[in-house]
Structure formats: structure tokens, C-alpha cells
Amino acid sequence: MSDRSGIFAGDDPFILAQKWLAEAEKTEPNDPNAIALATVDAAGLPNVRMVLLKEIEADAFIFYTNYESAKGQELNASGRAAFVMHWKSLRRQIRVRGLISHEEGPKADAYFASRSLKSRLGAWASRQSRPLTSRSALMAEVARVTALHGLNPPRPPFWGGFRLVPLEIEFWADGPFRLHDRFRWARHSAAENWDITRLNP
Ligand SMILES: Cc1cc2nc3c(=O)[nH]c(=O)nc-3n(C[C@H](O)[C@H](O)[C@H](O)COP(=O)(O)O)c2cc1C
């Protein structure tokens, strides 16, 4: 049991995360949906980079990237990830850890199709995370894929979504004198109910 109230109230952590993100959309200067996505490489060395969280589903978080990028390979190999979203304007963070799978069905197709043409062609042209000789080599590749795919490029087979189903979600809000509020929602599998624990700051 925990004495949750105010901004921490609610029975569903996904709805709570949606509410916090909606608040941040009103206060952050840009990219309120930016998350720092952590992975581990084959040697166990952590890696982290920003990506945009594109959807909070009823039981998962979705972001999009190149499956052959460094992060794509690390996610594919481990099947696990963590991320944090931090809003300076709200002085709050949400931390998430969990299991990863691909979202490469109609939802990924629809999201890809919603992007600007230049972004769609850019996804085709970029061999993300691999060495690039020069900017002009990249622009030549953009020209090549533009000639190939024209005005309606399909979603590349190497580009799509990752769905993170969390085993832990922590909601954190700044408190006076570093006495912050923290609530961790945890479960051993997606089939289980959440166990909610208030944590020391
Ligand atoms: C605010 C912000 C948002 C970003 N969003 C994405 C994204 O949604 N997908 C993506 O592949 N890269 C995104 N990037 C670029 C990544 O941080 C990273 O440079 C790239 O994905 C390559 O990472 P990797 O080599 O670890 O795979 C974003 C960068 C910033 C700063």
C-alpha cells in the first residue's frame, strides 16, 4: 500500500504516463516526448541516446528507428531496454524498464506514411550508425533512393517500431530539499498485476 494522491493518483500507469506527457506538452519548449533510451551491447557495456516516444498504448511504449542501427542491433540481441523521460519544466521524470519486440505491422506502416516525404526518403538513405564517407555521399544516396522510390516510398524493411512492455515504471517528482516523491510500479511479467512501492528519494 502507498499513500498516492495528486499527480501520482490512478490505477493505471500507462494512463498516468499519458497524463504527465500531456502536461509536459503544454510546458516544454520542444520534444516533450523525447526519451533517453538505454541498451546494452554484447559485452554488457551500456549505451544511451535520445529517441522520440511515438505512442503510449494500453500496455506498451512505442518508438521508431532503424533495426540495423547500433540500438536496433542491441535491442534485437537483448530483448530488453530502459528509458527515462525528464521534463525540466515540470521537474518530473518517468523511468521505464522492460521487454522489447518489433512493431512492424500496419501501425508501423501508417506511422511511416505519416512522416514527411523527405523523412521517409531519409530513412531509406541512412545506414544509421554505420560509417559515412561524407555529407555528399549521404546526399547522393538520398538522390538515388528518390529516383528509385519516387513520391510514395514504402516503409523500409530495416526500419520500424519497437514496443517496450514494461516490468517497472517509476514516477518521480521533485520535492523540497531533495525530498522527492517516487512511486515504483513493478511486476514480474506482463500478465501480473502491478505492485506499487513508495521509494526513498
Ligand atoms: C531529441 C532527439 C530525438 C531523436 N529521435 C530519434 C528517433 O525517434 N529515432 C531515431 O532513430 N533516432 C532519433 N534520434 C537520434 C538518436 O539519438 C541517435 O543519434 C540515432 O538513433 C543513432 O543511435 P544508435 O547509433 O545508438 O543506434 C533523436 C535524437 C534527438 C536528440
Side-chain angles (χ1 to χ4, degrees):
M1 289 297 291
S2 58
D3 51 335
R4 283 182 303 115
S5 60
I7 59 168
F8 293 99
D11 297 328
D12 182 326
F14 299 94
I15 291 175
L16 197 49
Q18 283 168 350
K19 277 191 194 158
W20 282 29
L21 179 54
E23 280 185 67
E25 280 164 3
K26 295 186 209 133
T27 57
E28 285 291 297
N30 53 45
D31 293 336
N33 59 331
I35 61 177
L37 173 74
T39 52
V40 283
D41 72 10
L45 188 64
N47 211 347
V48 64
R49 80 292 285 159
M50 305 305 296
V51 300
L52 296 178
L53 184 65
K54 282 297 166 182
E55 193 177 348
I56 302 177
E57 290 185 330
D59 197 31
F61 297 89
I62 297 189
F63 54 89
Y64 289 87
T65 192
N66 184 309
Y67 290 139
E68 296 171 1
S69 64
K71 84 182 85 51
Q73 294 187 34
E74 289 163 7
L75 292 166
N76 289 336
S78 74
R80 294 170 168 84
F83 70 76
V84 61
M85 24 187 10
H86 170 229
W87 299 294
K88 288 187 167 70
S89 58
L90 296 178
R91 299 177 187 273
R92 292 186 211 168
Q93 67 175 339
I94 299 178
R95 299 169 61 182
V96 175
R97 306 171 76 202
L99 307 177
I100 285 286
S101 59
H102 280 197
E103 171 50 68
E104 46 189 337
K107 182 171 273 197
D109 292 339
Y111 173 62
F112 186 76
S114 77
R115 291 161 48 105
S116 73
L117 178 60
K118 287 216 158 91
S119 299
R120 281 176 280 157
L121 292 166
W124 271 103
S126 171
R127 302 185 72 242
Q128 193 177 56
S129 313
R130 284 146 289 178
L132 177 64
T133 327
S134 64
R135 183 87 198 170
S136 60
L138 178 61
M139 297 325 286
E141 187 57 16
V142 170
R144 192 185 71 80
V145 297
T146 302
L148 197 64
H149 296 295
L151 295 177
N152 199 12
R155 181 175 60 82
F158 54 80
W159 190 100
F162 281 103
R163 172 177 282 109
L164 192 164
V165 174
L167 299 176
E168 279 185 31
I169 308 181
E170 182 192 317
F171 295 86
W172 181 105
D174 184 72
F177 308 109
R178 304 280 192 269
L179 297 177
H180 316 299
D181 287 310
R182 301 175 64 186
F183 289 94
R184 183 182 61 207
W185 301 56
R187 58 185 183 180
H188 295 293
S189 80
E192 285 179 32
N193 290 329
W194 294 104
D195 196 20
I196 308 171
T197 310
R198 185 188 262 273
L199 302 174
N200 272 276

